[in-house]
């Protein structure tokens, strides 16, 4: 897929991000010189140790932060701010504490651009659909503070999907789920992304995770980042066929790929806990 | 009514749902987390009855000490015994004097809280959202804020004379700053991630204000309203004592001049009780308006 000569959906060119601490004026380079071309319909996974700048990259693509240098383009146009075309699922969910599950999921449809042309009943139907999808039926009227971490995460996922963005930016979206729910939602996520649809109908996804097997199961390409400063260390194509079934995890190729990725981050992972 | 800790409340309560403890993430997704409000009913009743017992005991000790002190001082005009005060209170209630004056004072308080809120909340939002507005208005606020409402009474007497306007003016003045400062703090401390989330859903500026910033700041604004009530209730008596022809403060002054101290004390008791119940009502309002901010509610 990376070999097509179409213009990339997303193009990051020499993107760096520096933070300056307000008090001391001390500078941290969070992201250094990241260049990456993502094709329309690609599923990209990003792995790397904590603090290597994964969330920062995602925020810049979302338009919530500006690169200190370099450019980010979507369909050849520089990104100048956030928009509903790039939906974000935040690492800490960012749910609205005063809204119940249903209203959190329907927030963008009700107050944002995604629901502009939809009738009220269509919006409600869509919200109901995603409540079912993430398995929150029965909890529609609960407030975020009444939910477990895993349930909150599913609300955030449903909220993102209900807005129907064509680029999905997911920051450790399944991290708080128990292992079983996680496997189910991985398959579900691939379906929503468009795994069974022709490639040109798929959404574009950037998926941050800590879980190496998750990257192999989901991704077309895996971006491995390293820390201090945050750089792209390697980009690995995952040459496993789609649609991916659960059984793929048992195949030797799956294990080889996971092994290879682990090899790339092992040193830093050990250094981080040493 | 309000403790020192409550007065010093600086930051707004953080929405508890946004701070997920790491351990809690590991909880199974189907398991609903039971917060502090999720304790078993039997535990709650036991705890309540325990608190109730402690409260009654403290109250009884207080009355006993008062009585002993009254016996020891032995000058009923300066310190009447609890019994005399209770009898006086009974008489005043029967004569309708308590309800009449309490109603007047509470209405004054309610009206002035509404006026103060209508003035201070929009101004607080403006100052919280726009640095320029804050830079211009804040110096005036900081200059006026340390001047207590009571200090304005002599000047207000010149301007308004004795009447209904004077206590309203003092109360609005006192309540205004509490609401203003808490509103500014509430707006400033809105979780930026929530605004970011809304913006990535294509929500426009006004909708972000209406549907994110206002509800996010509301718990802190409510704290301001309760602090404003406490400050205004403390000031109302002073304002009515001097500047009004009616109300609880006026009644106290009236009976002081007649040297009827049991009645003066009876009205003091009324002030305490009415204040307590008004605060309970405000708390109920707070719970109703901002149910998600339960855990952060001030004691
Ligand atoms: N708003 C910020 N201000 C200052 N430093 C930041 C900010 N956001 C992130 N950083 C720093 O940038 C680095 C990368 O952070 P982040 O992108 O969150 O990493 P990751 O998501 O990979 O764990 C970290 O060292 C972090 O401390
Ligand atoms: Mg992160």
């Amino acid at each position: 897929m990376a070999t097509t000569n179409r213009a990339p959906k997303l193009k990051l060119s020499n993107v760096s991000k520096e933070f300056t601490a307000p008090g001391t004026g001390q500078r941290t380079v969070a992201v250094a010189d990241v260049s990456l071309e993502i094709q329309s319909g690609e599923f990209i996974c990003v792995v790397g140790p904590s603090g290597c700048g994964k969330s920062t990259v995602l925020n810049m693509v979302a338009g919530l932060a500006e690169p200190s240098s370099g450019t980010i383009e979507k369909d050849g146009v520089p990104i100048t701010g956030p928009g509903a075309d790039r939906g974000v699922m935040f690492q800490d969910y960012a749910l609205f504490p005063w809204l119940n599950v249903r209203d959190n999921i329907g927030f963008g449809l009700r107050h944002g651009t995604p629901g502009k042309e939809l009738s009220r009943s269509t919006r409600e139907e869509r919200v109901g659909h995603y409540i079912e999808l993430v398995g929150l039926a029965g909890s529609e009227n609960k407030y975020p503070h009444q939910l477990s971490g895993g349930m909150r995460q599913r609300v955030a996922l449903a909220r993102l999907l209900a807005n129907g963005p064509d680029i999905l930016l997911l920051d450790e979206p399944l991290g708080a789920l128990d292992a079983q729910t996680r496997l189910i939602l991985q398959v579900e996520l691939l379906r929503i992304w468009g795994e069974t649809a022709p490639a040109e109908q798929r959404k574009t996804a950037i998926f941050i995770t800590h879980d190496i097997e998750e990257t192999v199961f989901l991704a077309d390409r895996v971006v491995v980042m390293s820390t201090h400063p945050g750089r792209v260390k390697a980009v690995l194509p995952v040459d496993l066929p789609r649609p991916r079934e659960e059984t793929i995890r048992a195949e030797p190729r799956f294990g080889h790929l996971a092994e290879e990725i682990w090899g790339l981050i092992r040193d830093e992972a050990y250094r981080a806990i040493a | 009514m309000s403790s020192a800790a409550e007065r010093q409340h600086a930051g707004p309560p953080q929405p508890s749902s946004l701070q997920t403890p790491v351990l809690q993430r590991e909880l199974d997704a189907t398991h609903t987390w039971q917060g502090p409000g999720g304790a078993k009913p039997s535990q709650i009743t036991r705890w309540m009855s325990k608190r109730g017992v402690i409260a009654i005991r403290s109250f009884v000790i207080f009355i006993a000490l008062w009585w002993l002190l009254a016996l020891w001082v032995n000058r009923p005009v300066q310190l009447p015994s609890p019994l005399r005060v209770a009898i006086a209170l009974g008489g005043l209630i029967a004569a309708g004097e308590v309800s009449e004056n309490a109603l007047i004072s509470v209405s004054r308080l309610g009206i002035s809280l509404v006026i103060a809120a209508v003035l201070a909340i929009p101004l607080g939002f403006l100052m919280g959202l726009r640095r320029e507005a804050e830079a211009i208005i804040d110096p005036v606020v900081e200059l006026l804020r340390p001047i207590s409402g009571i200090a304005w009474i002599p000047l207000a007497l010149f301007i308004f004379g004795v009447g209904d306007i004077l206590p309203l003016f003092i109360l609005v003045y006192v309540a205004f700053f509490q609401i203003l400062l808490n509103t500014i703090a509430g707006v400033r401390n809105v979780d930026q991630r929530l605004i970011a989330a809304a913006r990535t859903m294509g929500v426009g500026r006004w909708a972000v204000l209406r549907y994110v910033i206002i509800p996010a700041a509301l718990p802190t604004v409510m704290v301001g309203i309760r602090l404003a009530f406490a400050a205004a209730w403390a000031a109302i008596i002073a304002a009515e004592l001097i500047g009004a022809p009616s109300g609880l403060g006026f009644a106290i002054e009236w009976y002081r001049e007649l040297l009827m101290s049991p009645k003066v004390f009876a009205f003091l008791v009324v002030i305490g009780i009415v204040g307590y119940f008004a605060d309970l009502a405000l708390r109920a309002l707070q719970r109703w308006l901002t149910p998600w901010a339960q855990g952060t509610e001030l004691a």
Side-chain angles (χ1 to χ4, degrees), chain A residues 76-205:
Chain A
V77 182
I79 285 169
T80 52
D85 55 321
R86 284 151 290 137
V88 185
M89 182 172 159
F90 293 89
Q91 192 170 1
D92 41 25
Y93 324 138
L95 299 178
F96 303 108
W98 56 89
L99 297 180
N100 63 21
V101 167
R102 182 188 295 110
D103 294 340
N104 258 292
I105 294 172
F107 190 88
L109 291 175
R110 193 148 161 208
H111 305 303
T113 41
K116 278 264 152 64
E117 256 108 67
L118 303 179
S119 72
R120 194 195 162 103
S121 61
T122 315
R123 294 196 309 237
E124 277 169 12
E125 229 169 85
R126 213 199 274 190
V127 169
H129 168 74
Y130 285 106
I131 287 174
E132 289 284 335
L133 181 75
V134 297
L136 284 167
S139 301
E140 293 93 336
N141 296 320
K142 289 197 173 136
Y143 286 84
H145 71 269
Q146 297 170 309
L147 303 175
S148 71
M151 290 168 95
R152 285 179 206 171
Q153 199 159 47
R154 287 183 280 158
V155 177
L157 183 60
R159 183 175 71 178
L160 166 69
L161 298 174
N163 293 325
D166 79 307
I167 297 179
L168 302 171
L169 305 172
L170 304 133
D171 200 346
E172 303 191 23
L174 309 180
L177 300 178
D178 61 282
Q180 301 88 301
T181 314
R182 190 173 187 156
L183 294 183
I184 293 166
L185 281 183
Q186 283 173 7
V187 175
E188 204 51 63
L189 199 63
L190 285 179
R191 202 186 59 72
I192 290 157
W193 161 70
E195 181 163 56
T196 52
E200 58 277 8
Q201 283 172 26
R202 290 175 186 166
K203 295 172 185 290
T204 307

Side-chain angles (χ1 to χ4, degrees), chain B:
Chain B
M1 251 174 302
S2 78
S3 65
E6 194 170 358
R7 247 178 251 280
Q8 284 167 3
H9 176 79
Q14 287 298 314
S16 56
S17 66
L18 293 173
Q19 300 164 332
T20 314
V22 176
L23 258 178
Q24 198 185 309
R25 291 167 162 227
E26 292 171 10
L27 285 177
D28 177 53
T30 53
H31 175 259
T32 304
W33 181 60
Q34 296 246 308
K40 291 193 190 74
S42 67
Q43 275 177 319
I44 290 172
T45 23
R46 215 180 308 150
W47 179 79
M48 290 259 287
S49 62
K50 210 163 145 198
R51 270 194 71 118
V53 168
I54 294 172
I56 290 169
R57 204 193 296 150
S58 313
F59 185 69
V60 168
I61 291 171
F62 173 75
I63 298 287
L65 287 177
W66 173 5
W67 212 316
L68 285 174
L69 194 63
L71 285 173
W72 183 62
V73 171
N74 198 22
R75 286 195 207 122
V77 174
Q78 282 173 7
L79 186 62
S81 74
L83 183 63
R84 279 165 171 271
V85 171
I87 292 167
L89 184 59
L92 288 169
I93 291 172
E97 279 188 52
V98 166
S99 52
E100 187 192 322
N101 287 299
L103 194 67
I104 289 169
S105 293
V106 169
S107 323
R108 278 187 186 134
L109 190 87
I111 292 166
S112 42
L113 279 185
V114 168
I115 295 173
V118 166
L119 295 174
I121 294 174
L123 188 64
F125 268 89
L126 182 68
M127 289 172 73
L129 292 170
R130 306 221 65 102
R131 294 267 158 202
E132 313 89 279
E134 205 252 344
I136 296 167
I137 303 168
D138 188 61
V140 183
V141 171
E142 287 305 314
L143 203 70
L144 289 177
R145 193 164 65 105
I147 306 174
S148 103
I150 294 163
W152 291 100
I153 292 178
L155 189 64
L157 272 172
F158 278 131
I159 300 171
F160 305 116
V162 173
D164 279 327
I165 305 287
L166 187 144
L168 280 185
F169 168 77
I170 302 297
L171 296 191
V172 169
Y173 176 89
V174 165
F176 177 81
F177 290 105
Q178 299 284 359
I179 300 176
L180 181 71
L181 295 173
N182 277 281
T183 304
I184 295 171
V187 173
R188 284 275 160 76
N189 289 293
V190 170
D191 189 340
Q192 290 301 311
R193 294 167 305 170
L194 297 181
I195 297 174
R199 298 212 301 147
T200 63
M201 293 182 240
V203 177
R205 286 175 79 87
W206 280 108
V208 166
L209 175 64
R210 170 66 188 83
Y211 299 108
V212 181
I213 298 175
I214 289 178
L218 194 58
T220 319
V221 174
M222 281 308 298
V223 168
I225 289 174
R226 276 186 58 204
L227 292 177
F229 160 75
W233 191 239
I236 192 172
I237 307 307
E240 289 176 342
L241 218 54
I242 304 170
S246 56
L248 293 171
F250 169 78
I252 287 177
E253 177 61 10
W254 178 264
Y255 286 114
R256 184 195 66 80
E257 282 178 12
L258 298 176
L259 298 180
M260 295 174 143
S261 16
K263 289 192 175 174
V264 171
F265 271 76
F267 273 109
L268 287 182
V269 172
V270 170
I271 288 165
I273 292 171
V274 172
Y276 176 77
F277 281 106
D279 189 57
L280 276 191
L282 278 177
R283 276 192 216 202
L285 179 70
Q286 195 177 16
R287 266 196 301 276
W288 179 67
L289 276 176
T290 60
W292 67 90
Q294 288 289 299
T296 57
E297 193 199 352
L298 297 173

